[in-house]
Amino acid sequence: MTMHGFATRAIHAGQDPDPTTGSVIVPIHATSTYAQDGVGGLREGYEYSRTGNPTRTALETCLASLERGKHGRAFSSGMAATDAALRAMCRPGDHVVIPNDAYGGTFRLIDKVLSVWGVEHTPVALSDVDAVRAAIRPTTKVVWVETPTNPLLNIADIASLAQVAHSAGARLVVDNTFASPYLQSPLDLGADVVLHSTTKYIGGHSDVVGGALITSDDELNAQFGFLQNGAGGVPGPFDAYLTLRGLKTLELRMEKHSDNAELVVQALLRHPKVKTVLYPGLPEHPGHEVAAKQMKRFGGMISFTVEGGEQAALDVCSRTKLFTLAESLGGVESLIEHPGRMTHASTAGSLLQVPDDLVRISVGIESGEDLVEDLVTALG
């Protein structure tokens, strides 16, 4: 049977009932090794769980289906997936174009780790296609895209950037963590690879750390698989199970996250102590038109700046009761953080340093009216 609907694929892709027991839910295959029928006689291709595990295979199959790709690879964290993607595509002397407001962990990996091995990078405003084209060098192998970006919620035109990258012989990688596969399909827009921190919206419950790479390129998939096995940054079967469990409700959650975010945005816009609200769903957002074209809805992430500078931003973060002061995002519960001191501290003093009066919130799926009241009270 062909599965067209997103929710149908989230619940069934790679997740047929167990042929031995009839278990409706994919079992947690808590094993490190597998019996062989004679030397080299592998059952279903499994020999050792770093190389492959049936629970992980189910997750990878489902992720590939949801991102409309041929191949999925799961990793132990979003950063492990980022590292594998860049090591598969770059060699010493190569060059990467990155967002000028990239996630702090991505920037740290490229600026502090890969640079030691001779991989160079240029930060650029990805919303400016001409600027990206100008930043590309003969040695550019990857254009790395976040859209929306973390934490400034800027929007990149995936289709346009894919054309720019491919015309220069480079590959386009899209970090789709903020949007999730439900709201945005980068491979359909020309991306070569989609990356996720599955810790966030895909897992959705703040109880598991993971990452993923999805592609339709057979050669890249083989390289990702080699690095999974060779470097070993893979999730255990329980992590794969939890992530797969989260995927089943992704559509429902993303709709509620988006509903609540729209309520919160309107409340922030009305508040006298809020200077600017960064949300791609706002018509005045510079990336709104592109976001409306390539996203189903605008998601649950909002950033805003406050009157009174850094101390005022820190005060807001400390006063909320329902919004928990914590890093990460995408869980069912609402979170608030100060990027300059927390998730993006690694960008301090660089071109990617974020404003010190910036607050980032991950809007959960609680009652929207309660979330508005909590923020308004915290703002004073």
Side-chain angles (χ1 to χ4, degrees), residues 46-351:
Y46 294 104
E47 57 183 335
Y48 187 64
S49 274
R50 186 185 70 245
T51 312
N53 176 283
T55 315
R56 191 172 97 210
T57 299
L59 171 61
E60 292 173 333
T61 301
C62 190
L63 286 168
S65 175
L66 295 183
E67 278 291 6
R68 308 172 71 84
K70 285 174 62 178
H71 311 288
R73 295 284 181 178
F75 292 84
S76 56
S77 68
M79 289 313 305
T82 301
D83 183 55
L86 289 166
R87 281 194 290 151
M89 292 183 280
C90 296
R91 297 292 178 269
D94 287 344
H95 174 254
V96 181
V97 175
I98 66 171
N100 66 353
D101 59 340
Y103 166 56
T106 304
F107 174 71
R108 181 178 57 225
L109 174 69
I110 294 170
D111 185 59
K112 299 293 192 294
V113 180
L114 295 182
S115 63
V116 175
W117 302 101
V119 176
E120 300 179 327
H121 66 278
T122 302
V124 65
L126 296 188
S127 56
D128 185 340
V129 175
D130 290 334
V132 174
R133 186 180 290 110
I136 288 178
R137 306 174 186 173
T139 54
T140 303
K141 293 296 187 292
V142 176
V143 176
W144 191 276
V145 174
E146 293 175 25
T147 184
T149 59
N150 179 8
L152 298 181
L153 283 301
N154 285 315
I155 299 296
D157 186 327
I158 296 170
S160 296
L161 292 180
Q163 291 178 349
V164 169
H166 295 157
S167 67
R171 290 185 168 111
L172 191 81
V173 179
V174 176
D175 182 339
N176 205 25
T177 298
F178 265 31
S180 87
Y182 177 65
L183 297 182
Q184 186 167 261
S185 300
L187 295 179
D188 283 350
L189 297 169
D192 298 284
V193 181
V194 173
L195 174 133
H196 283 281
S197 170
T198 58
T199 311
K200 313 303 194 296
Y201 285 109
I202 284 175
H205 293 75
S206 300
D207 55 8
V208 62
V209 173
L213 297 172
I214 300 97
T215 186
S216 292
D217 185 310
D218 296 342
E219 181 185 345
L220 271 182
N221 174 62
Q223 292 175 339
F224 296 157
F226 177 81
L227 286 167
Q228 265 187 324
N229 187 48
V234 294
F238 188 66
D239 290 351
Y241 160 80
L242 281 176
T243 307
L244 196 58
R245 188 171 188 255
L247 272 177
K248 295 176 189 294
T249 58
L250 182 59
E251 177 173 324
L252 295 172
R253 289 185 287 105
M254 292 313 297
E255 289 287 351
K256 181 64 171 175
H257 285 299
S258 299
D259 287 345
N260 280 352
E262 289 169 8
L263 282 177
V264 168
V265 162
Q266 291 307 313
L268 291 173
L269 288 172
R270 292 191 296 266
H271 202 284
K273 292 187 179 177
V274 174
K275 289 199 301 186
T276 56
V277 179
L278 307 177
Y279 187 67
L282 290 171
E284 59 267 31
H285 187 289
H288 175 72
E289 189 176 325
V290 172
K293 179 179 66 174
Q294 66 189 19
M295 297 178 73
K296 188 174 294 183
R297 293 189 70 182
F298 303 103
M301 297 303 300
I302 305 166
S303 291
F304 59 96
T305 59
V306 294
E307 300 286 355
E310 182 179 44
Q311 189 56 52
L314 294 171
D315 289 344
V316 172
C317 292
S318 69
R319 289 185 193 135
T320 55
K321 298 294 188 284
L322 290 179
F323 282 85
T324 301
L325 178 61
E327 296 189 359
S328 198
L329 58 105
V332 292
E333 72 293 317
S334 295
L335 301 177
I336 189 167
E337 67 125 2
H338 184 269
R341 293 277 191 99
M342 296 170 70
T343 54
H344 289 69
S346 63
T347 67
S350 76
L351 292 172

Side-chain angles (χ1 to χ4, degrees), residues 18-42:
D18 183 71
T20 303
T21 65
S23 172
V24 171
I25 298 301
V26 175
I28 301 170
H29 288 271
T31 184
S32 60
T33 192
Y34 304 82
Q36 299 187 17
D37 298 322
V39 176
L42 307 183

